[in-house]
Amino acid sequence: MNFTIHQASHIGNRRYNQDRVAYVYNSDAVLLVLADGMGGHQQGEVAAALAIETFTAAFSQLGETRIADPKAFLADTMRHAHERIMQIPRADKQSVPGTTCVAALVQDDRMYWGHAGDSRLYLLRDGAVLTKTRDHSIVQQWCEWGMISVEEARTHPKRNQITNCLGGSELAFFMESGATVELQPGDVLLLGSDGLWGPFTDRELAEAFASRPVVEVLDSLIERALEREAGQSDNITGLAVRWGDGELASATGGTVCRVLDIA
């Protein structure tokens, strides 16, 4: 496998950073995962960290370097993370920690992916969005029903009200799977919390990664997101991967895990 990868986060204008992000890989597969703890729920950062830990541990403990059923791995692991979050001890039994989660697994140049909530995955190709996740939010539903436009959704005051998450409620959780995609050299996978993608149009994100290094682009997007939100920024977190023969080789004799250190 050949890829260049970078992950970064900024607290924004919040008191705490409840985003978490990581990647882990071996000689045959790479797993990307990002979670955004729900600020309106107690211990949102704990829920997000537990989601990341569940995914990285499941991958790291594999008996083989290849995953026999990638779709089942993602679905089973996300369900397990949800169940672990539901068991977090809490003083207020009415307040259950919650987090969004988006995860992608690449193996044999194929991307498998799933998510819950409004943290997004974009697959960018040739300066355009080839595919992306569908937000689990009230505003997304209103867009699909034709009640508001995409542009109105970007600034709607209820844009952060999600309808699906890990934790929160047993009945509210489900993982939506995306269609498997065959990757091409130069493709960019971008995972982001709403603090990263919210200030930008899809076209802006795609064009930003069209030719520049992913490290440079992701760091620049975080700076620009802070500027655009003008003192009202959410936590801003992203993970970007450029895939293909022109990138660095990731040969390894074992498993490499990188969890971003977020205070």
Side-chain angles (χ1 to χ4, degrees):
M1 298 186 301
N2 293 67
F3 58 88
T4 300
I5 191 166
H6 180 55
Q7 54 186 352
S9 184
H10 193 287
I11 194 172
N13 301 115
R14 300 290 189 260
R15 185 175 180 182
Y16 304 105
N17 192 339
Q18 295 188 309
D19 290 352
R20 298 294 184 269
V21 62
Y23 63 91
V24 55
Y25 65 92
N26 56 36
S27 58
D28 291 315
V30 56
L31 173 70
L32 321 170
V33 59
L34 181 147
D36 178 355
M38 295 167 61
H41 289 255
Q42 185 182 16
Q43 296 181 297
E45 72 282 359
V46 177
L50 191 52
I52 298 298
E53 176 192 319
T54 303
F55 268 98
T56 56
F59 187 96
S60 299
Q61 293 167 7
L62 291 170
E64 300 180 356
T65 57
R66 299 188 77 263
I67 296 175
D69 190 340
K71 289 185 176 181
F73 171 82
L74 292 174
D76 292 347
T77 305
M78 197 169 291
R79 165 59 66 176
H80 182 45
H82 167 70
E83 292 171 348
R84 292 184 69 193
I85 292 168
M86 292 295 292
Q87 298 303 313
I88 293 175
R90 54 195 184 275
D92 180 2
K93 295 186 180 300
Q94 300 303 314
S95 179
V96 181
T99 184
T100 69
C101 187
V102 58
L105 175 72
V106 181
Q107 180 175 274
D108 299 327
D109 290 323
R110 295 183 178 89
M111 180 184 73
Y112 306 85
W113 45 303
H115 79 293
D118 65 352
S119 291
R120 291 184 180 178
L121 180 148
Y122 292 83
L123 175 56
L124 310 175
R125 179 177 295 170
D126 298 327
V129 176
L130 182 65
T131 188
K132 69 175 184 179
T133 50
R134 169 186 169 274
D135 297 343
H136 300 144
S137 68
I138 293 174
V139 165
Q140 177 64 37
Q141 291 179 346
W142 289 344
C143 281
E144 294 172 356
W145 295 339
M147 297 172 60
I148 60 174
S149 68
V150 173
E151 187 58 33
E152 289 172 330
R154 289 184 61 238
T155 58
H156 198 284
K158 293 188 177 181
R159 62 188 181 279
N160 295 324
Q161 294 187 13
I162 64 174
T163 57
N164 178 29
C165 69
L166 281 67
S169 169
E170 180 66 32
L171 297 178
F173 168 74
F174 68 94
M175 190 195 84
E176 181 173 349
S177 297
T180 303
V181 180
E182 188 86 22
L183 297 182
Q184 297 181 7
D187 283 353
V188 172
L189 283 64
L190 173 66
L191 278 65
S193 62
D194 59 341
L196 177 71
W197 60 257
F200 303 104
T201 65
D202 288 0
R203 181 175 180 178
E204 286 179 311
L205 292 173
E207 290 181 347
F209 283 98
S211 58
R212 295 158 59 201
V214 294
V215 175
E216 177 184 331
V217 176
L218 183 57
D219 289 347
S220 174
L221 286 173
I222 290 176
E223 292 179 5
R224 290 168 60 194
L226 283 167
E227 293 173 357
R228 289 193 177 185
E229 293 300 285
Q232 301 297 319
S233 175
D234 198 350
N235 304 148
I236 312 169
T237 303
L239 186 159
V241 179
R242 192 179 300 277
W243 192 262
D245 295 338
E247 306 305 315
L248 300 174
S250 61
T252 175
T255 298
V256 176
C257 182
R258 297 285 185 267
V259 179
L260 187 64
D261 184 13
I262 298 177

